[in-house]
Amino acid sequence: MSGDGDSGGGAHVQIGSISGGSQAFGSHGTAESTNHTVVVADPKQQHLLTQVRALRGELSRAAERTPDDEALDAELDEAEREIGRGRTDSGLLGRLRTRLEQYGAAAATAASVTAVLQAIAQITG
């Protein structure tokens, strides 16, 4: 930003570019920003994280969500957060595997459910 001494008594602001972050202008302006960066070092965990996100995406596009969809999404949300923190303990993966096996996936999500189960198997052996 730069000030201009010849602005006729008012303020002059010139912004070349803004990228990322949050900006607020005006006397009562507020800005909030939430950023999540997940770096997973283990390729197997990264693969699982990718598959979990893909399945969550499919669930979010469903025209109608059942209680089973909601329960699965909650379990996937927890798994996504824990994997992002580098935590994939056997209890979490076991609960997720059980939830997926009980889910009886609809045709629209069957491939994604299978992909998550296969990714869990790669980690747990």
Side-chain angles (χ1 to χ4, degrees), residues 27-115:
S27 62
H28 300 295
T30 61
E32 295 183 29
S33 179
T34 303
N35 300 297
H36 300 281
T37 302
V38 177
V39 178
V40 181
D42 183 344
K44 290 178 182 177
Q45 289 185 7
Q46 181 60 52
H47 178 67
L48 176 57
L49 183 59
T50 299
Q51 298 307 321
V52 164
R53 288 177 173 164
L55 178 53
R56 290 194 75 204
E58 286 189 32
L59 287 172
S60 71
R61 289 187 296 274
E64 294 182 30
R65 288 179 59 131
T66 67
D68 286 341
D69 293 338
E70 296 293 338
L72 177 58
D73 190 48
E75 198 78 45
L76 291 167
D77 179 58
E78 179 185 357
E80 185 175 346
R81 283 184 280 115
E82 293 300 306
I83 295 164
R85 292 183 184 120
R87 302 177 191 153
T88 52
D89 65 60
S90 60
L92 169 70
L93 296 178
R95 286 191 315 274
L96 182 56
R97 181 186 297 129
T98 299
R99 172 72 64 192
L100 290 167
E101 289 168 347
Q102 291 173 346
Y103 181 63
T109 59
S112 291
V113 168
T114 300

